[in-house]
Amino acid sequence: GENVEQHPSTLSVQEGDSAVIKCTYSDSASNYFPWYKQELGKRPQLIIDIRSNVGEKKDQRIAVTLNKTAKHFSLHITETQPEDSAVYFCAASRGSSNTGKLIFGQGTTLQVKP
Amino acid sequence: GAVVSQHPSRVICKSGTSVKIECRSLDFQATTMFWYRQFPKQSLMLMATSNEGSKATYEQGVEKDKFLINHASLTLSTLTVTSAHPEDSSFYICSAGETSANYGYTFGSGTRLTVV
């Protein structure tokens, strides 16, 4: 089955700096790669996603890149703010929402210092 | 957008009792729902895939007789933790995908289960 590895487990940056979180996946059939932000005790919130037919996607300060050949994808947050502090999870799925279960990475605790 | 309602948000039960958690898709039909468990400071671990009108598919290591899943309609899936033990204390969260849409998962608000 699918296995998703996420690094680093913790990341501390200064406000205004960039943060990068990386994930690798094992199932070459995976074709959907979302990123979630989770605050303590809350549900995961989708912040950006990318499908396998796209190499890069950007939404304001957040961007995701995908390298299908190497089976890895990364989250980039620019101009970080204290409110970006949270746990971030990558995930991978091989199908549509009807059939494709999401497998999550281990999570990255991001701390943005003011 | 798609909304998934999960109840209860918190529950405390005694060891040996059973607890039922409900997950409802409010404004869409969900052929498939997913149940996850999350221990403190850990990731979301998929427990099972709930399929409307058929048996759930459990992930390796998840006891199907302990975690009973029922998906009787296109808008409701339930997870029952039977004979709960303190080690079952965790955050349980469901996820559903809209039948007519590819990709896109909506999560419930989660249930904090504490077994005493």
Side-chain angles (χ1 to χ4, degrees), chain B residues 48-109:
Chain B
T49 302
S50 170
N51 302 296
E52 186 268 335
S54 64
K55 291 183 179 180
T57 304
Y58 290 83
E59 295 298 302
Q60 191 173 9
V62 178
E63 300 175 58
K64 62 179 181 180
D65 294 330
K66 179 170 182 63
F67 298 99
L68 301 179
I69 292 173
N70 184 279
H71 194 157
S73 76
L74 284 172
T75 59
L76 174 65
S77 175
T78 60
L79 168 68
T80 301
V81 182
T82 63
S83 187
H85 289 107
E87 55 264 34
D88 297 325
S89 298
S90 187
F91 188 60
Y92 293 85
I93 190 164
C94 65
S95 171
E98 190 170 353
T99 305
S100 61
N102 284 324
Y103 312 107
Y105 301 79
T106 302
F107 285 88
S109 54

Side-chain angles (χ1 to χ4, degrees), chain A residues 71-105:
Chain A
K71 290 191 282 188
H72 68 69
F73 55 113
S74 301
L75 175 72
H76 304 253
I77 305 175
T78 59
E79 300 171 31
T80 55
Q81 302 166 3
E83 49 267 37
D84 293 330
S85 297
V87 181
Y88 290 81
F89 292 99
C90 63
S93 169
R94 61 153 51 194
S96 70
S97 56
N98 292 333
T99 59
K101 55 188 181 183
L102 269 179
I103 301 301
F104 285 82

Side-chain angles (χ1 to χ4, degrees), chain B residues 7-35:
Chain B
H7 293 282
S9 57
R10 290 178 178 271
V11 58
I12 300 173
C13 71
K14 291 184 178 181
S15 289
T17 62
S18 296
V19 173
K20 180 185 285 188
I21 302 169
E22 290 190 348
C23 182
R24 293 182 184 272
S25 56
L26 297 186
D27 49 4
F28 67 99
Q29 294 182 329
T31 305
T32 305
M33 290 188 180
F34 304 94
W35 286 95

Side-chain angles (χ1 to χ4, degrees), chain A:
Chain A
E2 174 68 280
N3 183 49
V4 179
E5 296 287 333
Q6 182 173 345
H7 298 281
S9 57
T10 60
L11 180 59
S12 181
V13 299
Q14 209 64 39
E15 182 178 1
D17 288 349
S18 295
V20 180
I21 303 171
K22 299 182 178 181
C23 287
T24 60
Y25 61 98
S26 61
D27 187 353
S28 57
S30 289
N31 54 15
Y32 175 63
F33 308 93
W35 285 89
Y36 292 91
K37 177 182 180 182
Q38 187 181 31
E39 296 178 352
L40 192 62
K42 303 269 182 83
R43 77 186 85 192
Q45 296 283 353
L46 178 70
I47 56 172
I48 196 167
D49 58 11
I50 192 167
R51 294 162 177 72
S52 59
N53 58 345
V54 176
E56 185 174 355
K57 182 177 178 180
K58 189 174 181 180
D59 182 5
Q60 299 184 344
R61 297 186 298 110
I62 297 173
V64 57
T65 59
L66 171 65
N67 183 327
K68 283 206 71 180
T69 302
K71 290 191 282 188
H72 68 69
F73 55 113
S74 301
L75 175 72
H76 304 253
I77 305 175
T78 59
E79 300 171 31
T80 55
Q81 302 166 3
E83 49 267 37
D84 293 330
S85 297
V87 181
Y88 290 81
F89 292 99
C90 63
S93 169
R94 61 153 51 194
S96 70
S97 56
N98 292 333
T99 59
K101 55 188 181 183
L102 269 179
I103 301 301
F104 285 82
Q106 294 86 349
T108 297
T109 301
L110 173 64
Q111 181 185 28
V112 180
K113 298 178 181 178

